[in-house]
Amino acid sequence: MTIGLALPLQHRIDTLVQLAREAHEAGLRSAWSGQTFSYDSPSLAAIVGREVPGLHVGTAAVPVFGRHPLLLASQAQTAQAATGGRYHLGLALGTKQLTEAGFGIPFERPVRRLREFLTALRQLVETGSADFHGELLTATTPLPATVPGAEPPVPVLVAAMGPQALRVAGELADGILPYLAGPRALAEHIVPAVTAAAEAAGRPAPRIVAFVPGVVTADPEAVRESATEALAFYERFPSYQRVIELSGGTRAADLAVIGDEEAVAAEVRRYRDAGATEVVFTTTDLGGEADRRRTWKLLGELATG
């Protein structure tokens, strides 16, 4: 199992590059960035990955609404070429609230859109061309779509946690990016579903890249309070409400891994035992700079131990 982290995107690019370099020097294998309405995550990954040789970089995750496979394939292949093959592209359904408020487009048939998006995108990143005509999307290449040096083909993962999205991800993607899904939800619901779908489609076992909010700290009560406030945003969305409940929690902060080195290491092992092939820690700065450094030090030791 490999261990990575999510970069805190409130910083300037130069600071993010320095943080990524620090993470790599600590022994962490990957640095991921989210995609909202601020940084363009594939571009940021290309910069960070080129500045920090050896570090894998990923996007977690680009919503399929408001994007097109042709344009995203160009972004992803450019990042892959810039990083020497160390880029990982994550896709997401997004949410009805943010899609309709931000883009002014209806959030309709999301699973069908994900299936068509993945089908066209795989053609593009694997062959450099596409000839796809779906119900919701068309992607054809009257001009070549190959980016020199974009090798191997960009791994494509999906932030899937519901049954239908897991089925599509298992059939068409290289893995999944569950967030706020604890070991119980992974072991009992998520990993079996996506693995069965991949097997039925004749695909390799999927990567399970579990995103986990976590902090190593001497003051777990204070950090838990900060996590309750910081993660409450996700409780507004049914998909997260469901996976939190399946994990045995009632609030998003219940899924945060907070404690000393021994406690956090034990939780990382629980994720591994539940089927996670990779663990990516998020919101590691909730307890301040000293706790962030302490957290990264432990994660680096676990990654290299």
Side-chain angles (χ1 to χ4, degrees):
M1 182 181 67
T2 63
I3 300 177
L5 59 86
L7 293 170
L9 297 185
Q10 70 269 27
H11 298 294
R12 298 171 66 93
I13 287 179
D14 286 349
T15 301
L16 292 173
V17 169
Q18 181 55 42
L19 287 170
R21 187 172 290 117
E22 179 185 333
H24 185 49
E25 291 172 352
L28 290 158
R29 295 290 305 279
S30 62
W32 300 71
S33 53
Q35 178 66 63
T36 56
F37 297 117
S38 56
Y39 277 113
D40 177 72
S41 184
S43 298
L44 179 60
I47 294 169
V48 170
R50 193 159 183 84
E51 290 288 325
V52 188
L55 183 69
H56 286 254
V57 288
T59 295
V62 178
V64 295
F65 283 89
R67 273 82 176 180
H68 191 278
L70 282 169
L71 298 179
L72 189 55
S74 293
Q75 288 181 287
Q77 290 186 93
T78 300
Q80 184 74 324
T83 60
R86 290 177 281 114
Y87 177 65
H88 308 255
L89 172 63
L91 299 179
L93 293 175
T95 68
K96 177 180 176 66
Q97 295 94 321
L98 295 179
T99 297
E100 295 187 348
F103 293 104
I105 56 178
F107 188 77
E108 295 176 351
R109 304 181 69 188
V111 175
R112 182 67 198 182
R113 181 172 293 272
L114 175 64
R115 178 178 290 280
E116 294 191 5
F117 202 105
L118 278 169
T119 301
L121 185 66
R122 290 212 72 92
Q123 293 180 18
L124 290 161
V125 299
E126 291 177 357
T127 71
S129 64
D131 185 16
F132 178 79
H133 303 267
E135 296 179 47
L136 304 176
L137 293 172
T138 294
T140 64
T141 46
L143 297 173
T146 301
V147 173
E151 297 172 350
V154 178
V156 179
L157 305 103
V158 179
M161 295 187 291
Q164 294 184 72
L166 287 169
R167 185 179 306 115
V168 174
E171 293 174 5
L172 295 170
D174 298 300
I176 58 171
L177 306 163
Y179 179 53
L180 296 178
R184 181 193 300 179
L186 286 176
E188 297 179 3
H189 301 277
I190 292 175
V191 174
V194 71
T195 301
E199 289 177 352
R203 293 187 55 79
R207 291 168 56 189
I208 312 295
V209 186
F211 279 66
V212 182
V215 180
V216 177
T217 182
D219 192 356
E221 291 186 5
V223 175
R224 181 77 60 184
E225 184 176 340
S226 297
T228 299
E229 181 179 350
L231 300 176
F233 168 80
Y234 296 97
E235 297 164 11
R236 299 163 47 190
F237 306 112
S239 59
Y240 285 109
Q241 292 170 359
R242 174 182 176 274
V243 78
I244 291 168
E245 182 178 349
L246 291 175
S247 300
T250 56
R251 300 290 304 272
D254 295 337
L255 279 302
V257 175
I258 299 170
D260 62 15
E261 282 82 357
E262 184 178 353
V264 172
E267 285 300 303
V268 170
R269 288 192 292 270
R270 287 187 66 216
Y271 276 89
R272 177 197 62 198
D273 294 343
T277 59
E278 302 159 61
V279 171
V280 176
F281 264 55
T282 73
T283 58
T284 56
D285 56 350
L286 282 176
E289 182 66 7
D291 280 353
R292 179 194 67 76
R293 290 181 180 274
R294 185 176 173 185
T295 304
W296 289 21
K297 180 177 183 295
L298 171 68
L299 296 177
E301 291 170 353
L302 294 175
T304 57

